[in-house]
Amino acid sequence: MSLIRDTFRDRSFLSKLFRLAFPIALQAMLLATVAASDTVMLGSLEQNAMSAVSLASQIQFVQNMIVTGVVSAFQILGAQYAGKRDKNTLNRLLCMSLRICVLVSLAFSLLCFLCPASLMRIFTNEEALIVIGVGYLKIAAVSYLIAGITQCLLALIKLGANTAAVARISGVAVVLNIVLNGVFIFGLFGLPQMGVAGAALATVTARVVELVLSVIFAWKDNFLRPDLKKLFAFDKALSLDFIRQLLPLMGAYLLWTVGFTSYSAFMGHMGIDAAAANSVASVVRSLVSSFMKGLAGGAAIMVGYELGQGHLDRARTYGDRLVFMSVICGVLSGLMILGSIPLALTVVKLTPGAASDFITLSVILSIYIVGCSVNSVVINGLFASGGDTLFDVYSLAVMMWGIAVPLAAAGTFLLSWPVAVVYFCTCLDEVGKIPWTLHHYRKYRWVRDLTREVS
């Protein structure tokens, strides 16, 4: 009871958390809204168009997770150096991140442009979906190249505690994307109806605008103006610190990304109705999970600041409160998923079979989201703030790759299990690792100051 009382009575804690977490949650929700608009608009034209774009977007999902791994390493170290107000080291970390993210984004962009059909066949064997997805990927490939640069700049702006600016940038990009979706997909204002190609073109245009705004805000920010003269500078000690954070993060993100995209592939191989139901459920999950992403992102920055300043006891206290808040967030998110079922079925045209699958998937998802909330805040927020990143690798290797993926794969390709059973298997990892996550949390190995004096 004292934890609950202290959490809600500490106005300083709540004020700092809200100031950091709310804009991050808003940004995540805005980004998810773009996927929702694609689903609704394309779903209103044709179920196959919606399903194909959802599957094609898994390519960007993989790229985004790799870029996120790099940016997360930047944010882990960057938050602690920002707490010390060490702007020179922060700038060096930014340049390291930019080098890696640009190379990764360029590789994915070329793959999507040169061999889109091969990429689509990873996720579905339905030729109708492959043909539609190829048309989408060839245009969207340009946006993948831009994403790496933008993510690094937005992370820098967040580290300056200017998360509101990040929300504004994303807000402009999202509104533009949704408006252009309507114009290009349906052919408004005298333009030809472009369908899937229109959705891709709208995405590219919005990403270009987002990059321009990110550059403007990053160079105008009073906290740190990027110094790209250091873009190819090398600092051995700092590079080793960065690599020590990056390697476990990349391992965890790759394990999670390949596992999570395999879940979409399983659904894609269970028929068109299952793929459509999973597409809509994925959009609902993305929208609702915005709150936990905001809480996790705010936790990582806020606790990282305290650790970088040497306030270890305060960081530990904040951690206990954030764990409690993650449970509340998860329960509320589950109720929101259940409440969204009638609305989703109203705005998206699904066949009776796909609609039935979607309802069942949503019920399962409402339980999964509780585990996802706790694990996101604790692992991606608190553990990450102190550089305790190896735990995520272990938990994913055991729970996702040792249990969830093998069971779902067997149910899809060998045992012909119903869609609901296979989907339930894909949700086992997040729920199953809650006790393990909380046990590791209580060891408080994440309560560490990672900074050094850099010449």
Side-chain angles (χ1 to χ4, degrees):
M1 291 300 293
S2 61
L3 175 62
I4 300 174
R5 184 180 61 252
D6 292 343
T7 298
F8 291 106
R9 282 185 177 180
D10 190 339
R11 294 185 178 181
S12 174
F13 166 78
L14 293 175
S15 175
K16 285 190 283 188
L17 180 61
F18 182 82
R19 190 169 62 250
L20 290 170
F22 178 75
I24 296 174
L26 181 60
Q27 181 200 14
M29 182 174 292
L30 290 170
L31 294 174
T33 302
V34 175
S37 72
D38 283 346
T39 299
V40 171
M41 293 182 189
L42 292 173
S44 67
L45 291 178
E46 182 191 4
Q47 179 174 296
N48 283 358
M50 176 192 69
S51 301
V53 170
S54 177
L55 292 172
S57 297
Q58 297 303 309
I59 310 298
Q60 186 183 25
F61 179 70
V62 175
Q63 178 225 359
N64 189 55
M65 286 300 102
I66 297 175
V67 169
T68 300
V70 177
V71 171
S72 295
F74 169 43
Q75 288 184 313
I76 288 170
L77 291 172
Q80 296 206 8
Y81 281 106
K84 292 181 67 173
R85 311 296 291 182
D86 186 345
K87 299 180 181 181
N88 180 54
T89 304
L90 190 57
N91 193 82
R92 295 185 185 194
L93 291 168
L94 169 67
C95 291
M96 289 183 201
S97 304
L98 277 171
R99 289 197 297 267
I100 301 171
C101 288
V102 168
L103 289 175
V104 169
S105 299
L106 179 61
F108 271 84
S109 183
L110 289 174
L111 283 172
C112 290
F113 187 76
L114 297 175
C115 49
S118 299
L119 294 175
M120 283 298 298
R121 287 192 174 89
I122 297 174
F123 299 100
T124 183
N125 53 2
E126 299 285 347
E127 197 62 34
L129 300 183
I130 292 172
V131 172
I132 297 171
V134 165
Y136 178 86
L137 285 175
K138 282 193 171 182
I139 300 173
V142 179
S143 70
Y144 300 172
L145 178 60
I146 297 171
I149 304 172
T150 304
Q151 291 284 357
C152 290
L153 293 177
L154 291 176
L156 177 66
I157 298 170
K158 286 180 187 177
L159 289 173
N162 197 2
T163 53
V166 175
R168 288 197 295 271
I169 293 169
S170 295
V172 171
V174 165
V175 171
L176 179 63
N177 200 332
I178 293 173
V179 171
L180 292 180
N181 267 346
V183 173
F184 294 150
I185 290 174
F186 299 112
L188 304 180
F189 306 111
L191 294 175
Q193 182 173 309
M194 300 175 65
V196 167
L201 182 59
T203 298
V204 171
T205 306
R207 293 292 81 76
V208 171
V209 172
E210 185 179 41
L211 175 61
V212 172
L213 292 175
S214 299
V215 170
I216 293 172
F217 269 87
W219 262 266
K220 285 178 62 178
D221 197 297
N222 292 324
F223 177 68
L224 176 70
R225 291 181 176 87
D227 180 8
L228 296 185
K229 294 176 183 177
K230 296 184 176 68
L231 188 58
F232 298 103
F234 180 77
D235 183 299
K236 183 177 179 180
L238 191 61
S239 296
L240 289 175
D241 285 347
F242 190 83
I243 290 170
R244 274 193 286 269
Q245 299 304 320
L246 177 62
L247 290 181
L249 284 168
M250 289 301 296
Y253 276 116
L254 286 173
L255 284 173
W256 187 82
T257 301
V258 176
F260 204 77
T261 50
S262 72
Y263 297 161
S264 294
F266 299 153
M267 293 293 110
H269 282 83
M270 297 192 75
I272 291 177
D273 281 350
N278 185 59
S279 298
V280 181
S282 296
V283 171
V284 173
R285 180 184 61 236
S286 297
L287 286 169
V288 173
S289 64
S290 302
F291 301 103
M292 74 181 73
K293 289 178 181 177
L295 190 58
I301 296 173
M302 185 169 71
V303 175
Y305 275 16
E306 300 298 334
L307 293 172
Q309 295 176 70
H311 303 157
L312 304 188
D313 289 339
R314 185 184 298 170
R316 179 170 168 167
T317 299
Y318 282 3
D320 291 343
R321 295 174 182 178
L322 287 160
V323 171
F324 164 68
M325 296 183 77
S326 72
V327 177
I328 296 176
C329 181
V331 173
L332 293 176
S333 298
L335 295 175
M336 290 176 65
I337 289 173
L338 295 176
S340 69
I341 293 175
L343 177 62
L345 291 176
T346 301
V347 298
V348 179
K349 291 182 179 179
L350 295 175
T351 64
S356 177
D357 285 342
F358 168 70
I359 293 172
T360 305
L361 266 54
S362 296
V363 173
I364 298 171
L365 188 60
S366 67
I367 301 171
Y368 159 90
I369 207 73
V370 178
C372 193
S373 178
V374 174
N375 291 316
S376 294
V377 173
V378 177
I379 297 175
N380 300 328
L382 301 176
F383 291 175
S385 68
D388 187 5
T389 51
L390 271 175
F391 174 82
D392 202 12
V393 178
Y394 301 147
S395 65
L396 287 168
V398 174
M399 298 305 301
M400 175 176 273
W401 286 96
I403 298 175
V405 171
L407 282 175
T412 302
F413 300 111
L414 299 177
L415 304 175
S416 299
W417 284 346
V419 172
V421 177
V422 173
Y423 191 78
F424 176 79
C425 292
T426 66
C427 296
L428 286 174
D429 56 328
E430 291 290 354
V431 176
K433 69 184 180 184
I434 290 179
W436 191 7
T437 299
L438 294 179
H439 174 71
H440 187 77
Y441 169 82
R442 289 297 177 188
K443 296 178 181 179
Y444 294 106
R445 293 176 181 172
W446 54 273
V447 184
R448 293 185 298 166
D449 181 351
L450 304 172
T451 62
R452 66 167 72 235
E453 295 300 323
V454 181
S455 61

